[in-house]
Amino acid sequence: MSTLEVKAIQAPTGYDLQMPAGHIVQVVNGNTSTAVTTTSAGTWVDTGITATITPTSSSSKIIVQINICGIWRNSGEIWNRAGFQFLRGSTVIGVTALAQGWDRTTSENREAGAMYSIYDSPSTTSATTYKVQFQAEALSSATGIAVQKDSNSGQSNIFLYEVSA
């Protein structure tokens, strides 16, 4: 049996090395455990969950996977609901709401986590930043909603996978 060992595969001068369609070309990630709170309903706030990728081809697709930890209401509210939006640069590529079933129990904080996936076509070879914002969509008072609430909440993450087209 023969074994072929290589340190690198490089295209000849004047040619591009292309991966077969559907293969992962690169993976980039970002994470944060810094707490962010909002007490203003309807105002988008950066969560600190962000990562930047430079696609190798303008036809590449990007799979965006997001894990948000430590989503809390800040007191025993009747109903608080968090909304999330996902951005490529300043372009919104997805919006969702976490309709958490927080009840009327007073002085009781509730924690949740959420995971989202997006399949994006940035059509560029320039450095591209993806990030997550959140807002309190409904507040029964001004106590607010937080993400990455404390050191026990864990880290929120974003993974960017470049997929060859």
Side-chain angles (χ1 to χ4, degrees), residues 28-39:
V28 175
N29 77 302
N31 58 62
T32 185
S33 56
T34 302
V36 181
T37 301
T38 183
T39 57

Side-chain angles (χ1 to χ4, degrees), residues 13-164:
T13 302
Y15 293 89
D16 288 329
L17 185 62
Q18 297 292 322
M19 293 294 294
H23 283 74
I24 301 296
V25 177
Q26 64 174 313
V27 179
V28 175
N29 77 302
N31 58 62
T32 185
S33 56
T34 302
V36 181
T37 301
T38 183
T39 57
S40 176
T43 302
W44 291 108
V45 178
D46 286 341
T47 62
I49 305 167
T50 184
T52 301
I53 192 168
T54 304
T56 59
S57 171
S58 61
S59 63
S60 291
K61 308 301 181 192
I62 305 294
I63 297 172
V64 184
Q65 290 186 324
I66 301 151
N67 176 33
I68 305 169
C69 293
I71 305 166
W72 283 70
R73 66 175 178 174
N74 288 335
S75 71
E77 297 305 317
I78 295 171
W79 180 255
N80 289 350
R81 185 174 76 185
F84 294 93
Q85 71 176 6
F86 313 103
L87 296 95
R88 175 192 351 103
S90 60
T91 302
V92 176
I93 59 172
V95 178
T96 189
L98 176 66
Q100 183 69 21
W102 289 316
D103 61 25
R104 295 176 180 263
T105 306
T106 58
S107 302
E108 182 180 346
N109 293 326
R110 296 291 177 100
E111 182 174 8
M115 296 182 72
Y116 302 98
S117 296
I118 299 167
Y119 190 69
D120 189 37
S121 302
S123 301
T124 186
T125 56
S126 298
T128 304
T129 300
Y130 290 83
K131 70 178 182 178
V132 180
Q133 294 181 327
F134 82 116
Q135 70 175 348
E137 290 191 339
L139 289 173
S140 53
S141 74
T143 58
I145 291 181
V147 293
Q148 295 96 231
K149 177 65 175 168
D150 57 34
S151 61
N152 295 322
S153 297
Q155 286 190 330
S156 293
N157 302 286
I158 184 170
F159 290 89
L160 307 175
Y161 301 85
E162 180 183 0
V163 180
S164 59

